Every structure is written in C-alpha cells, then in structure tokens.
Amino acid sequence: MNKYVETLTVDNSVLALVDHQTGLLVSCRDMDPHLMTQNIKGLTSLAKTVNMPTVVTASMPDGPNGPVMPEITDILGDEIIERAGEINAWKSPEFKRAIAATGRKKIIMAGIVTDVCLMFPAISAVAEGYDVYAVVDASGTWNNTVMQAAMHRMSQAGVKVATWSSVLAEIMDDWRSEQGMELGEILAQHTTYRWVYNSYLSATNQK
C-alpha cells in the first residue's frame, strides 16, 4: 500500500516531542500562545490516553532554551532525553535509540521551533525510512512566513503535515472504540468542539 494513504493506529505510532522548552516557547509568534499550548496539551493527552509510546527530548535544558514546558511533563512525566548540543535531535544516538526501541515506523512529531527542531529530525527520519507526521499546530516558530516555508520544505522531503485534532480522529477511528468518548472529551477540552460535546452530553443526560 502507498504509505501516503496508510493510516495512523494505536499500534503503529510513536509520539516524539522535540524541544518544547520554556525559553523557546516565548519566541513563537506564528499563532496565539494560549492556542498553541492547548494544542500541545491535547496531543500529549491523546498519547497518554491510548498508551502510545512517547519520546521527549530537550536541547541543553540547563541553558537559555530552558526546561521542557510543565504542560508536557505534568501529563507524560519527566523522563526526558537531554541532548548535549545536537541541534538536529535525529543526530542524538539516545533519541534515535528510543524511537527505534518502540519498534514503530510511524512517528507523530512536533517541535519548537518548527523550522529547526521539528523540520530537521522529521526530514532526517524520513531519509532513514520512517513515516513522519509533522504536527504543525502543536509546534511553533518565529512567524507565519517561517512556518509556511518549513511546511513546504517538509512536504517536499516526504514528511506528512498534520494537525493534532486530525491525528486524534485518525487514531480514534470510530466513536464506538474503547476510548472513543475519552478521546472526544480531550478534543472538547482543547478546541471549540466542546460545545458539540457538551450539547451531546446534556441531550443524553451524561453530564
């Protein structure tokens, strides 16, 4: 099957979060910072809910980039691969080993900043045979022009550009699935889907 029409599942995917650090976060201006934070929390909550393997890495967290944002560690815990200096996380042996150890070839990846911390490892992973989904709305960068350039370059290299809510829906697959309602609640917590979800709960006396 053409890899561009294959779908994400609970069993074939790993989540990689690259450099979502407090010092880098303040420089992101391509979207509202509150919205970006909600998107990141939604993506991490998705992984936690379905027990998806996750790999979190940070670039020199004791330096100006700062620690990983607490919104991530509060959900996924504080197991973080701290890189000594590699800008491209894919050049970190520890990061690559952690991805390979999951045995999964589809990487759901997000990073700050989009045009460096996400783009570089995404392209590098594709070059080594991985199928990478770049979650651009759970990433962030300096401005929208930079974001657009990064998306074009990733697409040209074979990276699949995605959003966190589409990833959630693809993983869920069916509202009748074991975690369908729980995933729906995550979507409601972090997007305007909350009005649809709350209306349904009220109509069915589940609220």
Side-chain angles (χ1 to χ4, degrees):
M1 181 184 293
N2 184 324
K3 73 174 185 177
Y4 289 99
V5 297
E6 292 175 351
T7 57
L8 295 166
T9 71
V10 172
D11 300 317
N12 69 9
S13 308
V14 53
L15 174 63
L17 299 176
V18 184
D19 300 349
H20 287 83
Q21 296 167 247
T22 56
L24 296 172
L25 186 65
V26 297
S27 300
C28 297
R29 294 291 182 269
D30 59 321
M31 75 177 80
D32 177 81
H34 176 72
L35 174 60
M36 181 171 60
T37 300
Q38 292 301 308
N39 295 341
I40 293 167
K41 290 172 67 176
L43 182 63
T44 53
S45 296
L46 157 65
K48 179 74 171 181
T49 298
V50 300
N51 294 315
M52 180 182 295
T54 59
V55 179
V56 181
T57 185
S59 173
M60 303 177 67
D62 294 330
N65 291 349
V68 171
M69 54 193 295
E71 288 84 355
I72 289 176
T73 55
D74 286 349
I75 296 170
L76 297 179
D78 56 4
E79 186 175 342
I80 297 166
I81 295 171
E82 298 183 357
R83 305 194 312 283
E86 302 96 339
I87 293 175
N88 181 347
W90 201 252
K91 294 184 177 181
S92 162
E94 295 81 8
F95 180 74
K96 282 184 64 174
R97 279 199 297 268
I99 295 291
T102 69
R104 302 182 178 202
K105 300 298 287 186
K106 290 184 178 293
I107 308 174
I108 301 166
M109 188 181 294
I112 294 177
V113 291
T114 309
D115 52 309
V116 177
C117 307
L118 170 60
M119 186 176 75
F120 292 170
I123 290 175
S124 296
V126 166
E128 295 190 19
Y130 285 87
D131 192 11
V132 181
Y133 294 68
V135 187
V136 292
D137 62 347
S139 307
T141 191
W142 323 111
N143 57 57
N144 189 60
T145 299
V146 175
M147 165 64 86
Q148 294 296 323
M151 287 197 296
H152 282 302
R153 185 175 174 192
M154 286 190 289
S155 295
Q156 290 165 345
V159 178
K160 297 173 180 175
V161 175
T163 63
W164 84 268
S165 58
S166 70
V167 167
L168 180 145
E170 195 166 342
I171 293 290
M172 182 201 297
D173 187 53
D174 192 318
W175 280 104
R176 296 165 297 181
S177 66
E178 181 180 350
Q179 292 149 327
M181 290 303 296
E182 195 171 357
L183 292 174
E185 183 177 358
I186 292 172
L187 193 62
Q189 287 174 348
H190 302 292
T191 73
T192 53
Y193 187 75
R194 69 175 61 90
W195 292 304
V196 178
Y197 188 78
N198 290 340
S199 177
Y200 168 76
L201 294 181
S202 296
T204 55
N205 296 315
Q206 296 185 54
K207 195 167 184 178

